Amino acid sequence: MIKTVSTTAFDDQKPGTSGLRKKVRHFQQTNYVQNFIQSIFDSLEGFEGKTLVIGGDGRYFNREVIQTAIKMAAVAGFGRVLVGKGGILSTPAASNVIRKYAAFGGIILSASHNPGGPDEDFGIKYNIGNGGPAPEGITDKIHANTKSITEYTILDAPDLDLDAQGTQTLGDMTVEVIDPVADYAELMESLFDFPAIRAMFEGGFTMSFDAMSAVTGPYATEILENRLGAPKGTVVNGTPLEDFGGHHPDPNLVHAKELYDRMMADDAPDFGAASDGDGDRNLIIGRGIFVTPSDSLALLAANAHLAPGYAKGLAGIARSMPTSGAADRVAEALCIEIYETPTGWKFFGNLLDAGKATICGEESAGTGSDHVREKDGLWAVLLWLNILAVRKEPVKDIVTAHWAKYGRNQYTRHDYEAVETDAANGLMDALRGRLADLPGTTVADLTVATADDFSYHDPVDGSVSKNQGVRIGFEDGSRVVFRLSGTGTSGATLRVYLEKLDTGPGSAERETQAALADVIAAADELAGIKSRTGRDAPDVIT
Ligand code: G1P
Ligand code: ZN
């Protein structure tokens, strides 16, 4: 039976950098989820009888929202829903399923690397038929719908069994519960030299993969241990938990500290890696060396041809604006194009669809390629493994050789979290107000050469995205970027991205924060970070 429910609009359902993210309790308000899902469906056209993919990272509240989404999809007119068993699909796996089965689109339930549980975070995001996050044209429509919605429709039916693989019927729609891992593992096998990686493990290569009690556990166990023959126990924290064991499933040096410490020990494995809540981010650590995401992007681009899926070379490289320029010099050496996009994976979609870029990356631990339309944590790990299997050198040697050839981009990001929203906006507004006057002025011994607020002109569809981050370039080539996070759920998070090209002798040994001390001081002087936020130091340094 179809139920039409009258509802009132919420004024806070604007999708952010990656869909709608709020606290679970916020999502649990009556009609909050239903309003947003109806607003998604109302922003789409021509999906009658077509397929919708639904899956999430397994966090608390995942199953309830999946049941709701399926029952609403049945009334909206979709012909088929593909849902991962147990409601599980990593974000890259969902992207792959959308593409492989030519679905109309997908709903992905995740708050990525944010913590999970009744008092933590949840998120809903819509992906289009190319498998990638909906572009701004659609998210703007969704947002407009959330402001005017007056009713939603849902099938009044018992819950589906999400744990039994196979086909069920709901009204006029079929619901297929699929193996969440199989299609993805097959895709990885088609891109990488599994026999070579398997031989490397047989030869005694050791690795630790921290799945952070999040969605990649089953994927990593199947691929690394079952298909590639890595010893049992290579994957740690491999069982997805609704609250990620109480941790932040964020693969950075703060939240994956245990792995980091292990990798810095004398008896460290050859290779360490981790992924986040929904499986799209990656952390790469070699024995004795952390590889920054910006460097990892550059290194992967420079070596991708060693993997079968990329043997014919890259069409181009794309990176988000705050990501370091390390990849730019690789692109230059390869004589291919480099694209600079705003923060957020959705901006890569057009470049990938148009065949302009093959590999993309963000400083926030996201790397991926044209194999799907999301960043992909395990993909990055497997490409690294493929490169290691061919080059047969330690990660540290590969990285230092890269720096010797291209120079080293010293790079760090300082995050000030849960800053009072007015203070954060005030800081950004004040900076924006001074942009025209800054060039030529000297701050903390550095002279400003350029200052602007990044605007992106999409070379494929001509769309323009403004106010994507204040960037200040100094005469010595170093740079600072300021922007506010679009994924947080409480207050504002100020992100300060700091970078300098370090080519002098000893650059491989130079500690990053020390190498960037003058840029850090200049950033504080420019923006008045300490005085405006009242913080003495960043909450997270990556
Ligand atoms: C953050 C990252 C960004 C990434 C996004 C989704 O967004 O900075 O690179 O695409 O999460 O994973 P932000 O909170 O900065 O808006
Ligand atoms: Zn994520």
Tab-separated table of all heavy atoms in Angstrom, residues 482-520:
chain	number	residue	atom	x	y	z
A	482	PHE	N	43.591	28.808	2.602
A	482	PHE	CA	42.629	28.773	3.708
A	482	PHE	C	41.263	28.399	3.152
A	482	PHE	O	40.814	28.984	2.166
A	482	PHE	CB	42.467	30.163	4.345
A	482	PHE	CG	43.727	30.743	4.918
A	482	PHE	CD1	44.588	31.497	4.115
A	482	PHE	CD2	44.043	30.573	6.258
A	482	PHE	CE1	45.742	32.050	4.647
A	482	PHE	CE2	45.201	31.128	6.796
A	482	PHE	CZ	46.055	31.870	5.982
A	483	ARG	N	40.609	27.443	3.799
A	483	ARG	CA	39.206	27.205	3.447
A	483	ARG	C	38.479	26.591	4.642
A	483	ARG	O	39.111	26.055	5.551
A	483	ARG	CB	39.029	26.347	2.176
A	483	ARG	CG	39.574	24.959	2.213
A	483	ARG	CD	39.275	24.202	0.924
A	483	ARG	NE	37.911	23.718	0.849
A	483	ARG	CZ	37.456	22.634	1.474
A	483	ARG	NH1	38.247	21.922	2.249
A	483	ARG	NH2	36.201	22.253	1.331
A	484	LEU	N	37.164	26.683	4.607
A	484	LEU	CA	36.370	26.066	5.667
A	484	LEU	C	35.864	24.730	5.163
A	484	LEU	O	35.468	24.595	4.003
A	484	LEU	CB	35.191	26.962	6.056
A	484	LEU	CG	35.547	28.342	6.614
A	484	LEU	CD1	34.271	29.072	7.040
A	484	LEU	CD2	36.495	28.233	7.800
A	485	SER	N	35.867	23.758	6.045
A	485	SER	CA	35.391	22.424	5.688
A	485	SER	C	33.919	22.444	5.309
A	485	SER	O	33.140	23.207	5.868
A	485	SER	CB	35.599	21.506	6.896
A	485	SER	OG	34.725	20.404	6.828
A	486	GLY	N	33.554	21.586	4.363
A	486	GLY	CA	32.150	21.430	3.993
A	486	GLY	C	31.601	20.080	4.415
A	486	GLY	O	30.587	19.627	3.902
A	487	THR	N	32.278	19.410	5.346
A	487	THR	CA	31.804	18.079	5.755
A	487	THR	C	31.570	17.976	7.251
A	487	THR	O	31.119	16.942	7.719
A	487	THR	CB	32.833	16.981	5.384
A	487	THR	OG1	34.069	17.309	6.019
A	487	THR	CG2	33.026	16.878	3.898
A	488	GLY	N	31.885	19.000	7.997
A	488	GLY	CA	31.788	18.907	9.458
A	488	GLY	C	30.340	18.884	9.913
A	488	GLY	O	29.414	19.201	9.163
A	489	THR	N	30.135	18.489	11.170
A	489	THR	CA	28.763	18.462	11.693
A	489	THR	C	28.609	19.317	12.948
A	489	THR	O	27.530	19.424	13.479
A	489	THR	CB	28.307	17.022	12.006
A	489	THR	OG1	29.259	16.436	12.898
A	489	THR	CG2	28.194	16.184	10.752
A	490	SER	N	29.700	19.921	13.435
A	490	SER	CA	29.517	20.844	14.563
A	490	SER	C	30.493	22.010	14.421
A	490	SER	O	31.691	21.815	14.272
A	490	SER	CB	29.717	20.134	15.898
A	490	SER	OG	30.876	19.369	15.883
A	491	GLY	N	29.943	23.230	14.458
A	491	GLY	CA	30.754	24.429	14.297
A	491	GLY	C	31.422	24.435	12.937
A	491	GLY	O	30.952	23.828	11.979
A	492	ALA	N	32.545	25.142	12.851
A	492	ALA	CA	33.270	25.215	11.583
A	492	ALA	C	34.658	24.613	11.767
A	492	ALA	O	35.215	24.650	12.859
A	492	ALA	CB	33.383	26.669	11.150
A	493	THR	N	35.171	24.047	10.710
A	493	THR	CA	36.558	23.575	10.737
A	493	THR	C	37.349	24.413	9.747
A	493	THR	O	37.007	24.480	8.566
A	493	THR	CB	36.645	22.087	10.350
A	493	THR	OG1	35.989	21.318	11.361
A	493	THR	CG2	38.092	21.628	10.245
A	494	LEU	N	38.374	25.072	10.281
A	494	LEU	CA	39.263	25.861	9.420
A	494	LEU	C	40.403	24.963	8.969
A	494	LEU	O	41.086	24.354	9.792
A	494	LEU	CB	39.807	27.065	10.195
A	494	LEU	CG	40.918	27.854	9.503
A	494	LEU	CD1	40.387	28.583	8.267
A	494	LEU	CD2	41.567	28.848	10.466
A	495	ARG	N	40.589	24.870	7.664
A	495	ARG	CA	41.720	24.101	7.144
A	495	ARG	C	42.747	25.075	6.573
A	495	ARG	O	42.399	25.940	5.761
A	495	ARG	CB	41.269	23.141	6.045
A	495	ARG	CG	40.185	22.169	6.476
A	495	ARG	CD	40.204	20.921	5.608
A	495	ARG	NE	39.008	20.115	5.729
A	495	ARG	CZ	38.721	19.307	6.759
A	495	ARG	NH1	39.552	19.245	7.783
A	495	ARG	NH2	37.623	18.589	6.779
A	496	VAL	N	43.983	24.903	7.012
A	496	VAL	CA	45.073	25.730	6.518
A	496	VAL	C	46.076	24.800	5.855
A	496	VAL	O	46.610	23.890	6.494
A	496	VAL	CB	45.746	26.506	7.672
A	496	VAL	CG1	46.789	27.466	7.132
A	496	VAL	CG2	44.710	27.258	8.495
A	497	TYR	N	46.281	24.974	4.560
A	497	TYR	CA	47.145	24.091	3.784
A	497	TYR	C	48.449	24.835	3.505
A	497	TYR	O	48.429	25.939	2.964
A	497	TYR	CB	46.483	23.739	2.460
A	497	TYR	CG	45.048	23.228	2.544
A	497	TYR	CD1	43.982	24.112	2.671
A	497	TYR	CD2	44.766	21.869	2.457
A	497	TYR	CE1	42.669	23.648	2.713
A	497	TYR	CE2	43.446	21.396	2.491
A	497	TYR	CZ	42.413	22.293	2.625
A	497	TYR	OH	41.113	21.852	2.659
A	498	LEU	N	49.572	24.225	3.879
A	498	LEU	CA	50.858	24.923	3.799
A	498	LEU	C	51.837	24.121	2.953
A	498	LEU	O	51.932	22.897	3.110
A	498	LEU	CB	51.397	25.102	5.217
A	498	LEU	CG	50.405	25.822	6.147
A	498	LEU	CD1	50.251	25.084	7.454
A	498	LEU	CD2	50.818	27.257	6.372
A	499	GLU	N	52.558	24.821	2.107
A	499	GLU	CA	53.387	24.102	1.143
A	499	GLU	C	54.614	24.892	0.734
A	499	GLU	O	54.577	26.116	0.619
A	499	GLU	CB	52.546	23.841	-0.101
A	499	GLU	CG	53.296	23.209	-1.227
A	499	GLU	CD	52.419	22.987	-2.460
A	499	GLU	OE1	51.285	23.496	-2.484
A	499	GLU	OE2	52.891	22.313	-3.373
A	500	LYS	N	55.714	24.160	0.502
A	500	LYS	CA	56.943	24.796	0.005
A	500	LYS	C	57.745	23.765	-0.775
A	500	LYS	O	57.882	22.618	-0.330
A	500	LYS	CB	57.739	25.296	1.213
A	500	LYS	CG	59.173	25.660	0.907
A	500	LYS	CD	59.898	26.040	2.179
A	500	LYS	CE	59.446	27.427	2.614
A	500	LYS	NZ	60.387	28.131	3.451
A	501	LEU	N	58.285	24.166	-1.879
A	501	LEU	CA	59.136	23.243	-2.639
A	501	LEU	C	60.533	23.275	-2.036
A	501	LEU	O	61.152	24.338	-1.945
A	501	LEU	CB	59.170	23.649	-4.114
A	501	LEU	CG	59.980	22.729	-5.024
A	501	LEU	CD1	59.438	21.296	-5.001
A	501	LEU	CD2	59.979	23.245	-6.464
A	502	ASP	N	61.005	22.114	-1.606
A	502	ASP	CA	62.274	22.004	-0.887
A	502	ASP	C	63.230	21.217	-1.780
A	502	ASP	O	63.102	19.997	-1.908
A	502	ASP	CB	62.000	21.264	0.431
A	502	ASP	CG	63.196	21.230	1.351
A	502	ASP	OD1	64.288	21.636	0.918
A	502	ASP	OD2	63.032	20.782	2.498
A	503	THR	N	64.150	21.922	-2.409
A	503	THR	CA	65.040	21.223	-3.336
A	503	THR	C	66.476	21.184	-2.833
A	503	THR	O	67.321	20.522	-3.399
A	503	THR	CB	65.043	21.908	-4.716
A	503	THR	OG1	65.163	23.304	-4.514
A	503	THR	CG2	63.797	21.617	-5.497
A	504	GLY	N	66.713	21.908	-1.740
A	504	GLY	CA	68.088	22.033	-1.257
A	504	GLY	C	68.644	20.727	-0.730
A	504	GLY	O	67.913	19.747	-0.582
A	505	PRO	N	69.959	20.712	-0.444
A	505	PRO	CA	70.560	19.493	0.100
A	505	PRO	C	69.898	19.128	1.429
A	505	PRO	O	69.510	20.009	2.187
A	505	PRO	CB	72.035	19.880	0.308
A	505	PRO	CG	72.162	21.330	0.005
A	505	PRO	CD	70.894	21.811	-0.607
A	506	GLY	N	69.750	17.863	1.670
A	506	GLY	CA	69.163	17.411	2.940
A	506	GLY	C	67.652	17.466	2.966
A	506	GLY	O	67.030	17.237	4.006
A	507	SER	N	67.019	17.750	1.824
A	507	SER	CA	65.559	17.893	1.849
A	507	SER	C	64.869	16.595	2.272
A	507	SER	O	63.817	16.625	2.896
A	507	SER	CB	65.040	18.354	0.488
A	507	SER	OG	65.236	17.354	-0.477
A	508	ALA	N	65.451	15.462	1.954
A	508	ALA	CA	64.812	14.186	2.296
A	508	ALA	C	64.744	13.997	3.810
A	508	ALA	O	63.836	13.341	4.312
A	508	ALA	CB	65.566	13.024	1.656
A	509	GLU	N	65.701	14.581	4.522
A	509	GLU	CA	65.727	14.383	5.980
A	509	GLU	C	64.989	15.485	6.719
A	509	GLU	O	64.686	15.355	7.893
A	509	GLU	CB	67.177	14.370	6.508
A	509	GLU	CG	67.949	13.097	6.198
A	509	GLU	CD	68.386	13.042	4.740
A	509	GLU	OE1	68.825	14.096	4.221
A	509	GLU	OE2	68.244	11.970	4.110
A	510	ARG	N	64.706	16.587	6.009
A	510	ARG	CA	64.147	17.741	6.724
A	510	ARG	C	62.740	17.456	7.224
A	510	ARG	O	61.901	16.976	6.486
A	510	ARG	CB	64.147	18.975	5.822
A	510	ARG	CG	64.615	20.177	6.580
A	510	ARG	CD	64.804	21.453	5.786
A	510	ARG	NE	65.122	21.352	4.381
A	510	ARG	CZ	66.359	21.292	3.878
A	510	ARG	NH1	67.403	21.283	4.688
A	510	ARG	NH2	66.540	21.226	2.586
A	511	GLU	N	62.523	17.799	8.503
A	511	GLU	CA	61.209	17.569	9.111
A	511	GLU	C	60.234	18.608	8.554
A	511	GLU	O	60.547	19.799	8.449
A	511	GLU	CB	61.351	17.657	10.634
A	511	GLU	CG	60.220	17.021	11.398
A	511	GLU	CD	59.077	17.978	11.632
A	511	GLU	OE1	59.318	19.181	11.861
A	511	GLU	OE2	57.920	17.527	11.556
A	512	THR	N	59.042	18.155	8.213
A	512	THR	CA	58.108	19.002	7.478
A	512	THR	C	57.685	20.262	8.236
A	512	THR	O	57.698	21.359	7.678
A	512	THR	CB	56.868	18.169	7.087
A	512	THR	OG1	57.320	17.114	6.236
A	512	THR	CG2	55.835	18.993	6.364
A	513	GLN	N	57.287	20.118	9.511
A	513	GLN	CA	56.814	21.305	10.239
A	513	GLN	C	57.931	22.338	10.361
A	513	GLN	O	57.692	23.544	10.269
A	513	GLN	CB	56.292	20.930	11.636
A	513	GLN	CG	55.158	19.901	11.623
A	513	GLN	CD	53.929	20.349	10.828
A	513	GLN	OE1	53.510	21.501	10.918
A	513	GLN	NE2	53.363	19.443	10.039
A	514	ALA	N	59.163	21.850	10.549
A	514	ALA	CA	60.296	22.773	10.660
A	514	ALA	C	60.556	23.438	9.312
A	514	ALA	O	60.789	24.654	9.231
A	514	ALA	CB	61.529	22.016	11.136
A	515	ALA	N	60.480	22.648	8.249
A	515	ALA	CA	60.739	23.203	6.918
A	515	ALA	C	59.713	24.275	6.560
A	515	ALA	O	59.992	25.201	5.801
A	515	ALA	CB	60.716	22.084	5.880
A	516	LEU	N	58.527	24.147	7.141
A	516	LEU	CA	57.445	25.076	6.791
A	516	LEU	C	57.243	26.170	7.833
A	516	LEU	O	56.268	26.936	7.749
A	516	LEU	CB	56.135	24.293	6.623
A	516	LEU	CG	56.053	23.432	5.359
A	516	LEU	CD1	54.896	22.446	5.444
A	516	LEU	CD2	55.882	24.314	4.110
A	517	ALA	N	58.163	26.275	8.798
A	517	ALA	CA	57.945	27.194	9.930
A	517	ALA	C	57.625	28.617	9.478
A	517	ALA	O	56.717	29.264	10.019
A	517	ALA	CB	59.162	27.181	10.843
A	518	ASP	N	58.326	29.116	8.462
A	518	ASP	CA	58.060	30.506	8.059
A	518	ASP	C	56.695	30.648	7.387
A	518	ASP	O	55.992	31.643	7.587
A	518	ASP	CB	59.193	31.057	7.160
A	518	ASP	CG	59.470	30.182	5.952
A	518	ASP	OD1	58.958	29.043	5.882
A	518	ASP	OD2	60.210	30.635	5.050
A	519	VAL	N	56.278	29.634	6.646
A	519	VAL	CA	54.957	29.701	5.994
A	519	VAL	C	53.863	29.613	7.070
A	519	VAL	O	52.830	30.303	6.990
A	519	VAL	CB	54.780	28.565	4.964
A	519	VAL	CG1	53.554	28.814	4.095
A	519	VAL	CG2	56.019	28.429	4.084
A	520	ILE	N	54.099	28.781	8.081
A	520	ILE	CA	53.126	28.645	9.179
A	520	ILE	C	52.976	29.991	9.900
A	520	ILE	O	51.864	30.451	10.182
A	520	ILE	CB	53.576	27.524	10.153
A	520	ILE	CG1	53.523	26.159	9.438
A	520	ILE	CG2	52.700	27.509	11.408
A	520	ILE	CD1	54.180	25.011	10.196
